[in-house]
Amino acid sequence: MTLLELLQTSPGWLVTTVLLLGLLVGSFLNVVTLRLPARLQHQWRTECREILGLDGAQEAAPPGLVTPRSRCPQCGAAIRALDNIPLLSWLLLRGQCRDCGTGISLRYPIVEAITGLLSAWLAWHLGAGWELVFGLLLTWSLIALTVIDLDHFLLPDNITLPLLWAGLLLSLGGWFTDPVSAIIGAAAGYLVLWSTFHLFRLLTGKEGMGYGDFKLLAALGAWLGWQALPGIVLLSSLVGAVVGIALIVTARQDRSVPIPFGPYLATAGWIMFMWGEQINQAYLRWAGI
């Protein structure tokens, strides 16, 4: 029996394999969420200097997404391979750099654990097949976007636009939705938040969200079809409102400080990806339709 046959016939092996793969991908996503924004900011500063005709030495480009190896930000020591095992290395090192003892942020094992668990859940829910492969790519992209937006209030085009095109192309093969629903979903997803953005700005003179949010909802519309958009908007708005109010009440967030909306869109989109049909049916029954 080949490995592929084993994964197709044994849910336990499939979930375990995808869990381990998810942990490894989570470790890579930690690198992406740190290095991609730095590279984008360097690119924007360089372009601005060229447009303005500013002279002077160019700043060094940040590390790439794959190379060089990660280093301790405090002492600069290269992270050994044995110290880069997802979850396990952080636990064995007790959350500290082996060379200088500086604390290693808890976010690294959290991202690895979340990526591994969501990947395993997806494998259990979908089983072996191309649907699982595409679902994993969507899940990993949403995790990366969530972390980056929490850190930088940024949803990079480098992730949202390929995600949008992937959803449209997959619809041609009937994956997750049909082409008409995907095209309408992409257009409607963008226009819903675009219209809300401009209406809010006209009424208050302030900008309530960024263009990255429009593109993310458009991408989710392309993947899941226009039928999923009401659920995504409702879930993300409810969760965002609850979290925002809770942060203000507990004095952890000033009401004048913006809260990124991308994580709530990503969470709602993933929930609709997993249980959208059941949620829509439950709502229709509740509404008596």
Side-chain angles (χ1 to χ4, degrees):
M1 180 180 293
T2 65
L3 177 60
L4 180 59
E5 292 173 338
L6 179 63
L7 296 179
Q8 291 174 332
T9 57
S10 174
W13 275 105
L14 175 65
V15 171
T16 301
T17 302
V18 174
L19 171 63
L20 295 176
L21 175 62
L23 291 174
L24 292 172
V25 171
S27 180
F28 175 67
L29 292 182
N30 277 322
V31 177
V32 171
T33 56
L34 287 174
R35 296 187 178 184
L36 179 58
R39 291 188 64 82
L40 290 175
Q41 290 166 7
H42 172 266
Q43 176 185 336
W44 296 333
R45 287 194 296 268
T46 301
E47 291 174 352
C48 288
R49 292 181 65 88
E50 292 177 353
I51 293 173
L52 296 174
L54 299 177
D55 297 325
Q58 295 291 331
E59 59 180 292
L65 300 184
V66 179
T67 58
R69 291 170 56 187
S70 298
R71 294 180 175 273
C72 172
Q74 182 66 28
C75 67
I79 307 299
R80 302 170 180 83
L82 291 177
D83 294 341
N84 208 24
I85 301 173
L87 286 183
L88 184 60
S89 293
W90 191 90
L91 294 172
L92 292 177
L93 293 171
R94 299 181 180 179
Q96 297 179 334
C97 172
R98 181 186 297 274
D99 294 278
C100 67
T102 299
I104 301 172
S105 174
L106 187 61
R107 66 175 281 170
Y108 298 116
I110 288 177
V111 170
E112 292 166 355
I114 289 176
T115 307
L117 291 174
L118 292 186
S119 299
W121 199 343
L122 204 65
W124 179 262
H125 184 75
L126 297 178
W130 284 108
E131 193 174 29
L132 173 60
V133 174
F134 300 140
L136 288 173
L137 293 176
L138 174 64
T139 300
W140 297 339
S141 298
L142 293 178
I143 291 173
L145 288 169
T146 294
V147 177
I148 292 173
D149 202 24
L150 287 172
D151 284 344
H152 302 281
F153 292 87
L154 172 68
L155 294 170
D157 289 351
N158 307 57
I159 301 178
T160 56
L161 294 185
L163 202 61
L164 169 61
W165 286 109
L168 292 174
L169 291 174
L170 287 174
S171 72
L172 296 177
W175 296 102
F176 310 118
T177 191
D178 60 273
V180 173
S181 295
I183 294 171
I184 296 176
Y190 190 92
L191 290 174
V192 163
L193 293 188
W194 181 88
S195 303
T196 304
F197 168 85
H198 285 287
L199 179 61
F200 183 81
R201 189 174 65 174
L202 286 174
L203 294 176
T204 66
K206 301 177 181 179
E207 296 185 355
M209 62 184 68
Y211 279 68
D213 297 317
F214 313 164
K215 298 168 190 175
L216 176 55
L217 187 57
L220 292 172
W223 275 77
L224 307 178
W226 64 266
Q227 298 87 343
L229 292 179
I232 295 174
V233 172
L234 180 61
L235 282 173
S236 59
S237 300
L238 286 176
V239 175
V242 170
V243 172
I245 293 172
L247 290 174
I248 292 173
V249 170
T250 58
R252 294 184 179 181
Q253 183 88 12
D254 187 270
R255 65 182 59 195
S256 63
V257 176
I259 298 174
F261 191 50
Y264 306 117
L265 282 175
T267 301
W270 194 82
I271 290 173
M272 291 299 292
F273 175 76
M274 295 288 288
W275 302 288
E277 184 176 349
Q278 295 91 320
I279 292 173
N280 286 335
Q281 290 177 354
Y283 172 77
L284 292 176
R285 287 195 299 269
W286 175 80
I289 302 176

